[in-house]
Amino acid sequence: MHSKVIIVGSGPAGHTAAIYAARANLEPVLFEGMLAGGVAPGGQLTTTTEVENFPGFPAGITGIELTDKLREQSERFGTEIITETITRVDLSSRPFKLWREGAETEDPDTCDALIIATGATAKRLGIAGEDKYWQRGMSACAVCDGAAPIFRNKPLVVIGGGDSACEEATFLTKYASHVYIAVRRDAFRASQIMARRAENHPKITVMWNTHVIEAKGDGSVLTHVVLQDANTKETRSLDTSGLFYAIGHTPNTAFLDGQLNTDETGYLVVKPGTSLTNVAGVFAAGDVHDKTYRQAITAAGSGCMAALDTEKYLENLAAEEHERASGKL
């Protein structure tokens, strides 16, 4: 199957790109994936319960409801959505080639322009109780979830030792009664200014050489965690209503097999102020290249940019081909 535009990814970035591309009559095809990266179609947003900071929903909306609405809007304007995962691509020549999971030996799908919106998956620790209490007191995004009623005026725990952990702990002090940072080592990896800010905050306690080894609750929500001293191996319990992972994200770029430029942590690199990658005709949108903001609304804006950049690219491509056919090139 050949398409003008293929979008790989189904979060706010992918669907916003699809909406803009469809309204521009580019007839986009969107591969939303089948548990790609271990996450349902819709991306990280589907693992969030209440979304209260996306404009247009004053009463809030669940992550799944929001992704459903994005999907519905994409389809309304003519996007073809395919619930399959792209596992391999060839970007060495145009049209670009893409292979679906389980069909890697068959003829590929092809396209003139490609938008990568596969996002980034939050790293997890796999501790006991994690699956049971994820989004029932456990989260990987303090900015997304920290203001939820279940966390207000309650003790909260952040796991991590870098800038993200310090930033998220400081952010959570706006809502929590107290915030504990569990650091595996005896020092932060964070920058000095961020580390000092966390250590000196009256509502933050840093727990050095501490591992969180289990999440426990009442069967409905998280109520406490089990801590282990990294040196003595002694364990103790700490009451908390929230456990936030701040141990990083993994950009979902493995299927690209190094064909696009990435930074040292695997995030796609784009030309500043655009969605352009190092391969003409391939664009990046959302958290797959944004490791700073990682919000649904910024991802949506990034998807808009990618669609507009794609439209301009295809217009220029058509103009060049017309000139070539008429002998002007």
Side-chain angles (χ1 to χ4, degrees):
M1 176 184 72
H2 180 77
S3 308
K4 294 179 185 176
V5 182
I6 286 181
I7 300 164
V8 183
S10 58
H15 279 300
T16 302
I19 292 165
Y20 273 77
R23 285 171 54 82
N25 295 319
L26 298 182
E27 302 173 335
V29 173
L30 183 149
F31 283 88
E32 64 179 357
M34 175 60 75
L35 292 178
V39 180
Q44 291 293 301
L45 205 55
T46 62
T47 69
T48 301
T49 48
E50 289 297 319
V51 178
E52 298 181 319
N53 55 6
F54 198 93
F57 300 95
I61 186 172
T62 69
I64 291 177
E65 287 174 335
L66 182 54
T67 56
D68 285 346
K69 287 182 178 294
L70 291 169
R71 191 181 196 278
E72 181 182 344
Q73 193 170 357
S74 293
E75 289 187 308
R76 177 192 167 200
F77 290 110
T79 301
E80 180 181 353
I81 298 177
I82 300 175
T83 310
E84 293 189 56
T85 301
I86 296 299
T87 56
R88 184 163 69 92
V89 299
D90 181 355
L91 308 179
S92 61
S93 62
R94 205 183 71 246
F96 304 123
K97 302 178 182 65
L98 302 88
W99 285 266
R100 309 183 191 192
E101 185 174 34
E104 288 84 357
T105 59
E106 299 179 12
D107 290 339
D109 294 283
T110 60
C111 61
D112 297 319
L114 176 64
I115 297 175
I116 307 296
T118 46
T121 302
K123 294 179 182 178
R124 296 195 189 185
L125 293 173
I127 64 173
E130 182 178 280
D131 289 340
K132 186 171 186 177
Y133 291 107
W134 194 258
Q135 289 305 324
R136 295 183 177 185
M138 297 181 68
S139 169
C141 183
V143 175
C144 309
D145 303 326
I150 63 169
F151 301 129
R152 289 181 179 268
N153 301 310
K154 302 289 179 59
L156 306 176
V157 176
V158 174
I159 300 177
D163 279 350
S164 293
C166 293
E167 289 175 9
E168 299 213 351
T170 302
F171 173 83
L172 288 171
T173 59
K174 300 176 183 178
Y175 312 104
S177 60
H178 199 79
V179 179
Y180 299 87
I181 306 179
V183 184
R184 294 184 177 192
R185 306 187 305 166
D186 59 0
F188 279 121
R189 291 181 292 102
S191 60
Q192 287 190 2
I193 188 170
M194 291 305 303
R196 261 199 318 272
R197 190 174 299 169
E199 290 178 287
N200 295 334
H201 199 291
K203 291 180 69 175
I204 293 178
T205 296
V206 182
M207 303 182 295
W208 305 113
N209 299 305
T210 300
H211 293 185
V212 178
I213 61 173
E214 186 173 3
K216 291 189 173 184
D218 60 8
S220 178
V221 295
L222 180 77
T223 58
H224 60 287
V225 293
V226 178
L227 308 176
Q228 183 181 62
D229 187 288
N231 298 320
T232 67
K233 306 304 179 184
E234 292 181 357
T235 61
R236 63 186 177 93
S237 178
L238 177 67
D239 290 341
T240 182
S241 294
L243 178 61
F244 292 83
Y245 286 0
I247 55 176
H249 291 69
T250 301
N252 299 316
T253 55
F255 74 102
L256 298 171
D257 196 29
Q259 297 177 72
L260 295 178
N261 290 345
T262 63
D263 67 10
E264 68 282 357
T265 55
Y267 286 86
L268 294 183
V269 175
V270 297
K271 180 181 178 181
T274 76
S275 64
L276 280 64
T277 69
N278 61 295
V279 174
V282 181
F283 307 87
D287 291 7
V288 74
H289 78 83
D290 172 23
K291 60 181 180 181
T292 302
Y293 300 104
R294 296 197 301 263
Q295 300 298 301
I297 191 65
T298 53
S302 178
C304 168
M305 292 172 61
L308 295 177
D309 287 341
T310 298
E311 183 181 6
K312 182 177 180 180
Y313 168 78
L314 290 175
E315 287 176 351
N316 291 338
L317 197 65
E320 289 177 6
E321 291 179 349
H322 176 72
E323 291 181 0
R324 186 177 293 109
S326 61
K328 295 181 181 180
L329 282 180

